[in-house]
Amino acid sequence: EIQLRHENPTYRQFYATELFKEIEDFVGKKKSAYRVASFGIHPSIAIYNGFYTVDGYLPAYPLKHKKAFQKIIEGELNKDENLSDYFRKGSRCYIFSSELKFGDWLYTKGKEGRVKNLKLDTKQLRKLGGEYIFSAVKIENAAENSLKLLKIFDHENSAWRIFLYQTST
């Protein structure tokens, strides 16, 4: 499905190990010391590359975590009933945006996406240990969400362009 809908990335391009190694080196801390969330890319990519995540698509995890994660994206869920139903009925803990096409949240670098009015509770994200967001789209109102763009990463063997945001303390 991903290959058919997203410019046929290879496994190497999808998991983008070289790109995420660059991000790891840039952050410069042990991965176990912080958590990340993904936006516009599948959280399994961060997990595959050894990052600890607050998000994911898991068949079973504590309901307590789902409710805690829901607080992070509640502002977006309130904007779109489809998103709200999708989140509440499923196993996905993703950062959703009402501005991105419903059901098609993977933004390869050829897809060019941006979000103008994202509404996240980054204090809640920090409570869950989330210090960074790996975003495949530019968040134009990052400062309003207490996010700082640290660097944009791109690699020839990657399907993604990653905007690395850090949550404010």
Side-chain angles (χ1 to χ4, degrees):
E1 174 189 5
I2 290 168
Q3 287 182 321
L4 291 174
R5 290 173 49 183
H6 299 282
E7 303 166 5
N8 296 311
T10 64
Y11 283 97
R12 180 179 186 185
Q13 292 168 328
F14 182 81
Y15 286 108
T17 56
E18 297 100 338
L19 177 81
F20 284 93
K21 177 67 171 133
E22 290 176 15
I23 295 171
E24 175 187 356
D25 292 345
F26 177 82
V27 170
K29 298 188 269 188
K30 288 182 69 168
K31 292 179 190 171
S32 61
Y34 59 93
R35 304 289 178 268
V36 303
S38 298
F39 182 43
I41 68 169
H42 201 287
S44 67
I45 298 166
I47 294 167
Y48 180 86
N49 283 285
F51 291 93
Y52 293 74
T53 65
V54 298
D55 53 350
Y57 180 40
L58 306 166
Y61 56 89
L63 181 59
K64 181 179 176 180
H65 180 76
K66 185 167 182 93
K67 288 181 178 182
F69 190 87
Q70 180 176 337
K71 291 177 185 177
I72 297 168
I73 59 171
E74 193 72 46
E76 289 299 314
L77 298 179
N78 289 338
K79 293 179 189 179
D80 187 326
E81 189 175 324
N82 288 327
L83 282 181
S84 182
D85 287 344
Y86 189 70
F87 175 78
R88 289 189 175 95
K89 293 178 183 175
S91 298
R92 292 167 182 84
C93 276
Y94 291 177
I95 295 178
F96 292 120
S97 170
S98 61
E99 295 177 55
L100 300 180
K101 184 178 175 186
F102 182 78
D104 190 18
W105 295 292
L106 299 180
Y107 277 73
T108 53
K109 61 184 165 187
K111 195 170 175 183
E112 292 293 332
R114 60 183 56 231
V115 175
K116 295 178 182 178
N117 295 300
L118 187 64
K119 188 169 183 182
L120 297 180
D121 184 342
T122 52
K123 287 182 183 175
Q124 179 67 16
L125 179 58
R126 289 290 284 200
K127 281 183 187 178
L128 295 179
E131 189 172 343
Y132 299 97
I133 294 178
F134 297 161
S135 181
V137 298
K138 182 174 183 181
I139 302 170
E140 292 188 358
N141 67 330
E144 293 172 30
N145 286 281
S146 299
L147 295 171
K148 179 181 177 185
L149 177 62
L150 298 179
K151 188 173 178 179
I152 302 169
F153 292 85
D154 199 346
H155 192 280
E156 65 183 322
N157 293 322
S158 172
W160 319 104
R161 177 177 302 110
I162 298 297
F163 297 79
L164 178 63
Y165 290 95
Q166 185 173 33
T167 58
S168 300
T169 54

